[in-house]
Amino acid sequence: MRKRIVRKIILCLCGLILIGALSVFGINAYVKSSVSDRVITPEEAAELRDVDCILVLGCLVKDNGTPSDMLHDRLRRGVELYHAGAAPKLLMSGDHGRTNYDEVAAMKQFAVDGDVPSADVFMDHAGFSTYESVYRARDIFQADKIIIVSQEYHLYRALYIAEQLGVEAYGVSADYRNYSGQSGRDIREVLARVKDVFSCLFQVKPTYLGNTIPVSGDGDVTNDQTFAPAETEATQPTETVFYSLMTDEELLRSLIQSRALEMLQFTSAFNFPDQESIQYLTENYPEFAELYQRDTMLETLNGYGAKLAESYLASSDAADRFLGLSLQDFIYGMNGFENQ
């Protein structure tokens, strides 16, 4: 009698294991087949229209701060697609949850070194998983149509997640070589696909959300102190009142800090001031009125002024970053007003 009960229990357990295994492999097969037509060639990607960004999914960065082989190849593919005109922006999404480990800074540096303008490269510092990277691309970076770059085994899950989250996505493989340990990754990926099916089913929130940062804007707003664009030699303007102001850092700091709140009533990090804003500034602040009359004002703004703003934005001090934003807003605004 006891043996029969034990036998039934074993049979039940075996049955449950079999059902579980069939379910896992069934879900895995469904995920792959449901989005396989969304894996396209680089040439096909370059022919797409109205793509918001190329989402490059992060992975291991070495102790010396350089990308691992897999990440290197993802970045290489992403940069190639950018230069082919597949999308106007790159979104680097990875793990920067620890002060001593930063995937996205290494990713952006690779792109900038590959002749991609820093402003066209966004960093998602909270892309802790594939699911979170796609979710945040939609909700934080306001991307509706994207190209996802990763190795092919990984693309199916990313594309499935995008489809379930309502994002139009296409995947381009970054398999330039064979990678050691791939068999183990393939096994883990089967389980990860099952996990993310349920994540999508229950619309699990990412670890962090926050304010929106439209990918249509300036990627440098996502920089932090671990990534600062390389300094370039500023154009040497003629001697003007404005140049004297710009080269006197203490005077500039005092001026902008005293006016920053008033300036920001008319301008924000993502919008150029209109004519009313410029009129207000020139009428109320003689310094700005005088510099606005000078022929070399824009040349100086886009040279030394932009360089100084970038150095402030790269600071770890919140007051300096606020100063940098204020100066950057004014520079953008003056350029926008000049082109009206």
Side-chain angles (χ1 to χ4, degrees):
M1 186 70 168
R2 185 176 297 173
K3 289 183 178 180
R4 286 183 184 176
I5 294 174
V6 172
R7 188 179 299 116
K8 286 182 179 180
I9 292 173
I10 292 173
L11 289 174
C12 287
L13 290 174
C14 290
L16 290 173
I17 292 171
L18 179 61
I19 292 171
L22 291 174
S23 298
V24 166
F25 288 106
I27 291 172
N28 177 64
Y30 171 73
V31 168
K32 290 186 67 174
S33 64
S34 66
V35 294
S36 59
D37 61 333
R38 294 281 176 149
V39 179
I40 61 176
T41 66
E43 293 75 22
E44 290 171 326
E47 294 175 0
L48 295 173
R49 294 292 177 265
D50 302 319
V51 177
D52 294 314
C53 67
I54 299 161
L55 172 61
V56 181
L57 298 173
C59 62
L60 180 67
V61 168
K62 299 175 184 177
D63 291 340
N64 63 3
T66 60
S68 60
D69 288 347
M70 293 187 76
L71 183 55
H72 176 278
D73 290 351
R74 294 179 191 185
L75 295 167
R76 174 183 169 186
R77 178 68 79 197
V79 170
E80 288 174 352
L81 289 171
Y82 172 87
H83 286 306
K89 306 287 183 177
L90 283 163
L91 174 54
M92 305 301 192
S93 185
D95 184 352
H96 186 194
R98 293 164 285 163
T99 57
N100 61 345
Y101 183 76
D102 187 354
E103 292 178 0
V104 291
M107 294 169 74
K108 178 159 185 172
Q109 190 63 61
F110 184 99
V112 171
D113 290 344
D115 295 326
V116 179
S118 178
D120 287 347
V121 187
F122 285 74
M123 295 192 290
D124 180 4
H125 299 265
F128 301 128
S129 67
T130 305
Y131 177 83
E132 291 182 279
S133 292
V134 177
Y135 197 117
R136 285 174 54 83
R138 182 194 70 177
D139 282 25
I140 300 299
F141 296 95
Q142 305 286 282
D144 298 316
K145 184 175 182 180
I146 63 177
I147 296 170
I148 301 175
V149 173
S150 187
Q151 278 68 33
E152 185 173 343
Y153 84 96
H154 187 204
L155 284 177
Y156 299 108
R157 176 160 56 103
L159 291 169
Y160 176 84
I161 292 167
E163 183 179 76
Q164 295 303 306
L165 295 180
V167 178
E168 183 179 352
Y170 302 86
V172 178
S173 168
D175 290 298
Y176 288 99
R177 66 184 99 183
N178 294 321
Y179 306 98
S180 61
Q182 188 57 44
S183 297
R185 279 189 289 271
D186 288 338
I187 294 171
R188 290 195 300 273
E189 185 64 17
V190 170
L191 301 177
R193 288 170 189 154
V194 174
K195 177 182 74 70
D196 280 339
V197 164
F198 287 98
S199 296
C200 293
L201 180 63
F202 295 106
Q203 295 286 294
V204 176
K205 298 290 185 184
T207 307
Y208 299 109
L209 282 174
N211 296 328
T212 59
I213 308 171
V215 78
S216 57
D218 184 346
D220 283 338
V221 301
T222 62
N223 293 353
D224 64 358
Q225 62 267 30
T226 60
F227 179 89
E231 294 186 352
T232 56
E233 186 176 352
T235 303
Q236 182 69 22
T238 59
E239 288 296 327
T240 65
V241 171
F242 180 64
Y243 179 62
S244 298
L245 171 68
M246 292 299 294
T247 53
D248 188 337
E249 186 170 333
E250 289 303 315
L251 177 60
L252 178 66
R253 177 185 290 271
S254 174
L255 173 65
I256 294 181
Q257 283 182 330
S258 65
R259 307 303 191 212
L261 290 176
E262 290 172 297
M263 288 170 65
L264 289 176
Q265 290 174 357
F266 295 92
T267 151
S268 71
F270 301 112
N271 295 288
F272 291 151
D274 56 18
Q275 187 167 356
E276 180 184 2
S277 308
I278 300 298
Q279 183 178 353
Y280 172 87
L281 291 170
T282 54
E283 286 178 356
N284 287 275
Y285 306 121
E287 305 95 330
F288 292 144
E290 186 166 2
L291 69 88
Y292 188 67
Q293 302 301 320
R294 300 291 176 145
D295 293 337
T296 57
M297 181 272 296
L298 283 178
E299 179 185 3
T300 310
L301 274 172
N302 294 319
Y304 188 86
K307 178 180 175 182
L308 189 59
E310 288 179 355
S311 70
Y312 286 145
L313 288 169
S315 171
S316 59
D317 182 65
D320 280 348
R321 292 199 300 273
F322 180 72
L323 173 62
L325 272 178
S326 301
L327 177 57
Q328 191 178 66
D329 287 346
F330 182 72
I331 293 170
Y332 287 168
M334 294 299 271
N335 277 282
F337 180 75
E338 183 71 11
N339 292 327
Q340 287 180 2

